[in-house]
Amino acid sequence: MGYGRSGLGDVDVDPSFWRGKRVLVTGHTGFKGSWLCLWLHAMGACVEGLAPGPPTDPSLFALARVGEVINSHAVDVRDYQAVERVVADTGPEIVLHLAAQAFVRRSFTDPRETYETNVMGTVNVLDAVRKSRGVRAVVNVTSDKCYENREWEWGYREDESMGGHDPYSSSKGCSELLTGAFRRSFFGDGKTPTHLASARAGNVIGGGDWGEDRLVPDIMRAALAGSPIEIRNPEAIRPWQHVLNPLSGYLVLAQALWDSPSHATAFNFGPADEDARPVRFILDRLSERWPEPLDWRIDSGPHPHEARYLKLDSSRARLRLDWAPGWALQRTIDAIVDWYLALRSGDDMHAVTLGQVDVFAGG
Ligand SMILES: NC(=O)c1ccc[n+]([C@@H]2O[C@H](COP(=O)([O-])OP(=O)(O)OC[C@H]3O[C@@H](n4cnc5c(N)ncnc54)[C@H](O)[C@@H]3O)[C@@H](O)[C@H]2O)c1
């Protein structure tokens, strides 16, 4: 298997760069973290994961047996001493920080947990990195929700104001602000060899997601159970993209950071304009591919505030990292249906998931 370039041939994830690299992934038991760890392991990286057990049951982490190919440290990012110990003991060269309370709805019910995890958890990881002095590249994964959403039609650039209406979004804005402060205060300019960047993406979809109140997991859970699907807002437009698209961005960003202090900044990783589509579009495309009819209805109950569509301008990633989203939306939908049908057929989900990584990477 190749694990080289993406389907479009634009994204240059370089397996020879990753071979033998010591990489710490926080949030490795989650949806994105599990895909990322499998990809890193396939390229020959030595991967350590930092997170409690999987946040959902079932989980991609368990189904794809991610724990068999990497070392896991069951640590809460809110526990500074434990984070510092893992960083000191494992000596990572690269840190990819994904651990977060990642759900808007839950941030309304437990705002403290959200800020403690997403803000102080990030401070803890960056401070442990600062003290270790051996880390060369750090990517802090935040969100497109970090921006002050002015309900503009045009794309947001990296130097736009931070904001966030709800606690989750604002915690990601805070995470961006503290990343800038750590960069200016402690990293670079001869202070330490660490180059620190942040990555902003949103509305990531793909096989193996079981997150609460997320569209594709809700649809796929119902499809597998043969039960009706409750949809909150079928006309809401979101910028959908396959999970491997932003992950390829995080990887090329870390590669660039290794040698280049000028890449120590924020990067947007958004889909092509034509892949910003209403919820109804995703439902229709999934229905076309799913073997049985999908029965859905509008859930008219009360819902927390949902921000309007926010478009990312990814020119910086395209120009400075040569990054482009590898899979467009139709290819993404196909990959999702293939993944859940394979699960229903009892296939080996480690092989299925790695197989999709391999196809994406052009191997
Ligand atoms: N999925 C998306 O659409 C999306 C969009 C934008 C940004 N993000 C960001 O990407 C990252 C990964 O998201 P995901 O979709 O994989 O979420 P997820 O909920 O599937 O995974 C989150 C991971 O963080 C870990 N975690 C949670 N609380 C923790 C704590 N206190 N200490 C240590 N680890 C903890 C979980 O155990 C899990 O491993 C998050 O930072 C999220 O905010 C996700």
Side-chain angles (χ1 to χ4, degrees):
M1 291 203 275
Y3 304 104
R5 300 174 74 89
S6 83
L8 279 186
D10 278 322
V11 183
D12 203 357
V13 176
D14 178 5
S16 67
F17 169 86
W18 291 98
R19 199 167 304 127
K21 287 277 185 321
R22 294 188 307 279
V23 186
L24 176 64
V25 177
T26 74
H28 69 295
T29 56
F31 166 54
K32 280 178 168 179
S34 295
W35 280 95
L36 184 59
C37 287
L38 285 181
W39 193 350
L40 285 165
H41 171 73
M43 293 190 292
C46 307
V47 188
E48 308 280 340
L50 184 159
T56 56
D57 182 17
S59 67
L60 177 60
F61 185 80
L63 290 168
R65 305 193 311 281
V66 180
E68 290 178 14
V69 297
I70 67 157
N71 285 327
S72 289
H73 304 267
V75 161
D76 191 311
V77 283
R78 292 169 293 183
D79 178 349
Y80 175 70
Q81 306 300 340
V83 172
E84 190 189 56
R85 225 174 6 256
V86 171
V87 173
D89 290 351
T90 60
E93 298 165 289
I94 297 173
V95 175
L96 305 173
H97 176 48
L98 283 77
Q101 191 304 93
F103 298 94
V104 173
R105 278 206 160 197
R106 194 157 144 197
S107 80
F108 280 101
T109 53
D110 202 339
R112 277 191 44 228
E113 181 209 18
T114 303
Y115 284 108
E116 284 168 1
T117 304
N118 299 0
V119 182
M120 282 315 296
T122 303
V123 169
N124 289 343
V125 170
L126 296 185
D127 211 33
V129 165
R130 174 176 77 91
K131 288 195 181 141
S132 86
R133 302 187 66 82
V135 180
R136 200 144 149 189
V138 183
V139 177
N140 178 24
V141 172
T142 65
S143 169
D144 58 358
K145 292 185 164 59
C146 68
Y147 290 106
E148 181 68 42
N149 188 341
R150 299 177 192 195
E151 316 229 324
W152 284 334
E153 297 77 14
W154 51 87
Y156 285 68
R157 292 189 291 225
E158 284 85 352
D159 56 359
E160 233 85 61
S161 304
M162 296 292 102
H165 183 281
D166 57 84
Y168 169 75
S169 305
S170 120
S171 76
K172 289 295 186 174
C174 295
S175 179
E176 284 286 347
L177 293 174
L178 74 88
T179 298
F182 263 77
R183 186 189 302 120
R184 288 185 296 272
S185 305
F186 306 120
F187 300 137
D189 292 337
K191 296 183 191 92
T192 69
T194 308
H195 301 151
L196 166 63
S198 61
R200 305 166 181 172
N203 287 94
V204 173
I205 54 179
D209 193 2
W210 304 97
E212 59 198 76
D213 287 322
R214 283 182 179 167
L215 179 69
V216 169
D218 285 351
I219 296 173
M220 285 299 136
R221 260 189 293 268
L224 291 168
S227 50
I229 306 150
E230 303 252 313
I231 297 293
R232 285 201 297 277
N233 191 353
E235 307 314 328
I237 297 174
R238 297 284 177 257
W240 313 99
Q241 62 175 335
H242 194 273
V243 59
L244 291 170
N245 289 351
L247 293 188
S248 67
Y250 307 160
L251 293 172
V252 289
L253 175 54
Q255 287 172 204
L257 284 170
W258 187 259
D259 286 319
S260 165
S262 70
H263 284 82
T265 184
F267 283 86
N268 289 337
F269 296 102
D273 282 4
E274 61 268 24
D275 287 345
R277 296 283 188 165
V279 164
R280 185 189 291 277
F281 180 91
I282 302 292
L283 259 169
D284 290 345
R285 295 290 89 72
L286 287 171
S287 300
E288 283 165 13
R289 285 280 335 269
W290 195 255
E292 294 88 36
L294 298 183
D295 172 19
W296 68 275
R297 57 198 64 160
I298 294 179
D299 172 3
S300 51
H303 306 301
H305 171 271
E306 278 192 60
R308 278 187 48 197
Y309 165 48
L310 183 151
K311 182 161 102 181
L312 291 179
D313 179 333
S314 304
S315 306
R316 180 180 281 174
R318 180 175 275 286
L319 290 171
R320 298 188 56 195
L321 298 169
D322 203 15
W323 177 87
W327 278 353
L329 190 50
Q330 188 56 54
R331 182 72 190 79
T332 296
I333 301 277
D334 290 345
I336 290 172
V337 173
D338 290 348
W339 195 96
Y340 286 96
L341 285 178
L343 177 70
R344 186 165 81 168
S345 305
D347 293 354
D348 175 349
M349 296 316 291
H350 179 89
V352 168
T353 310
L354 261 184
Q356 293 200 345
V357 171
D358 189 40
V359 172
F360 181 91

